[in-house]
Amino acid sequence: RGYVKTNPYHSSAHVADVAQATHLLLSWASNRHPQALTAQEVMSGVFAAAIHDYQHPGFNNQFLIAVEHPVALRYNDRNVLENHHVAAAFNAMLDGTQEDPFKHLSEDQFTSLRRMVIKMVLATDNQNHSAQLSLLKTKMTRKDFPSTKGDDKQLLLNIILHAADISNPTRPLECYLKWVPRVMEEFFRQGDLEKQKHLPVSPFFDRDTTAVSKCQLGFIDVLVHPLYLALGQCVPEVNTECLPQITRNRAHYEGRRTVTRRMSNDKGATEGRRNSPFSPFTSPFTEAAKLFTPTTAGLRKRMTSIFGFRRTSATTEGTEDKSPKDTSPKEAAP
């Protein structure tokens, strides 16, 4: 429970993918730096990967902030979804309805694990990407990084989970191409709702104008390649296994961009159009409530109270708000 099956991208499949990538990166890193990553750190990393997108609604932080969503207000517009993911996951785990998976840990061990997990999940917010990458580059100027210091361990864990979360371009091309239409369709669904609510459409979220190849090239050049290049300096397997595949996948989309430019005068050449082969999900949701298919009555109540939309936009002042109303209690049931 807790992962929305109808999300094209942020579903349990994405979480399983990230958990696998996290475990692999942690295995490489712990073999190279056993002093920095003990069994408890590895367990914390895999657990953080399993919950890092818990109850993701299929919209990003900027959208929730723009509509003044209750979750954005609760977390003061800072790491909105990431704060919710980790808080909701621990609440679900410790609400007494199921056995505590960490019941055999001491209080000190659990406190340490929880602290590490919270920091790891918050670090997956792309808004923190530049700061985390800059700190990693600074730390690596020291010969003893990563050491047994808590700050070193935490930074390496943060970087590994973040790298796993954006690891699609490190996969074989056939696998990568299965993820791209999913993430783009989720972008486009948000763009559709932004248009409906008279909000500015986020970059690369307009299905009628977005070139998928340009979007993916930017994703690789700005986020993925710089992060893996830095991580490869302390985890050499990243240099031999991940970076060459990133280069090959980038070449694929560079080739697509060249073809798209040649077709630019042809009607319907834009890759992001509704009938594009990149968009197998051809029926975007028009109501936020349709995004959620809870498996239990309790989860339905929680989803409704947390993710119900209350307003359209400040630009529609004076008009009737026809978005679904949040009539559930303000505090979700456990």
Side-chain angles (χ1 to χ4, degrees), residues 25-313:
L25 291 172
L26 284 170
S27 298
W28 288 343
S30 61
N31 287 337
R32 291 282 177 173
H33 310 287
Q35 78 286 355
L37 295 177
T38 66
Q40 181 166 328
E41 275 90 37
V42 172
M43 179 179 68
S44 300
V46 175
F47 177 71
I51 69 167
H52 83 283
D53 274 333
Y54 186 76
Q55 290 188 348
H56 198 294
F59 305 122
N60 64 19
N61 285 335
Q62 288 67 36
F63 181 80
L64 298 183
I65 293 169
V67 299
E68 298 178 7
H69 194 281
V71 174
L73 298 178
R74 178 179 303 163
Y75 295 114
N76 299 315
D77 299 346
R78 299 184 64 183
N79 308 128
V80 175
L81 284 171
E82 292 72 25
N83 271 302
H84 174 74
H85 298 324
V86 71
F90 272 102
N91 179 68
M93 185 179 68
L94 302 175
D95 65 1
T97 62
Q98 56 189 352
E99 190 172 8
D100 178 5
F102 298 128
K103 65 180 181 180
H104 296 299
L105 295 183
S106 68
E107 285 300 315
D108 287 344
Q109 288 175 323
F110 178 76
T111 299
S112 175
L113 177 143
R114 176 169 159 77
R115 184 184 302 115
M116 286 188 288
V117 168
I118 291 172
K119 291 180 179 179
M120 276 185 274
V121 175
L122 294 185
T124 61
D125 187 346
N126 284 331
Q127 294 294 319
N128 298 326
H129 171 85
S130 296
Q132 291 283 302
L133 180 56
S134 177
L135 182 57
L136 176 64
K137 291 179 177 179
T138 300
K139 290 272 191 180
M140 285 192 302
T141 59
R142 297 191 346 238
K143 293 182 179 180
D144 65 339
F145 180 84
S147 68
T148 57
K149 295 179 181 178
D151 289 347
D152 284 1
K153 292 184 175 186
Q154 187 66 59
L155 178 61
L156 186 56
L157 288 169
N158 292 354
I159 291 294
I160 284 175
L161 180 57
H162 179 41
D165 195 24
I166 60 173
S167 65
N168 290 341
T170 71
R171 304 288 188 175
L173 181 61
E174 181 181 3
C175 179
Y176 181 30
L177 293 180
K178 292 181 179 179
W179 285 113
V180 170
R182 291 180 173 274
V183 70
M184 295 309 302
E185 176 60 21
E186 197 163 291
F187 288 175
F188 295 155
R189 290 181 180 185
Q190 178 175 316
D192 293 341
L193 198 54
E194 287 171 334
K195 291 177 182 179
Q196 179 184 329
K197 290 180 171 291
H198 307 286
L199 294 168
V201 178
S202 302
F204 299 116
F205 282 46
D206 190 329
R207 70 171 68 244
D208 295 319
T209 62
T210 294
V212 175
S213 56
K214 182 178 179 180
C215 177
Q216 290 304 304
L217 287 170
F219 176 51
I220 291 172
D221 291 344
V222 175
L223 294 178
V224 181
H225 188 265
L227 183 65
Y228 275 82
L229 191 63
L231 182 58
Q233 294 181 41
C234 63
V235 183
E237 290 83 354
V238 169
N239 290 328
T240 58
E241 300 294 333
C242 300
L243 287 173
Q245 188 61 51
I246 292 173
T247 300
R248 287 190 288 269
N249 289 339
R250 190 193 185 284
H252 169 82
Y253 276 107
E254 183 63 48
R256 288 196 63 88
R257 184 171 67 170
T258 302
V259 171
T260 302
R261 284 173 177 169
R262 291 172 182 171
M263 297 172 59
S264 60
N265 293 326
D266 295 340
K267 184 177 180 180
T270 303
E271 292 178 271
R273 295 194 182 278
R274 294 179 187 274
N275 295 324
S276 167
F278 283 89
S279 301
F281 307 92
T282 55
S283 300
F285 294 117
T286 56
E287 298 178 16
K290 292 180 181 179
L291 282 171
F292 307 107
T293 54
T295 56
T296 67
L299 184 58
R300 182 178 296 107
K301 186 176 183 180
R302 184 182 298 115
M303 287 287 197
T304 303
S305 64
I306 293 175
F307 294 120
F309 285 86
R310 301 186 305 164
R311 54 176 286 177
T312 53
S313 167

Side-chain angles (χ1 to χ4, degrees), residues 11-22 49-50 52 171 179:
S11 64
S12 58
H14 166 67
V15 172
D17 181 72
V18 173
Q20 185 274 334
T22 300
H52 83 283
R171 304 288 188 175
W179 285 113

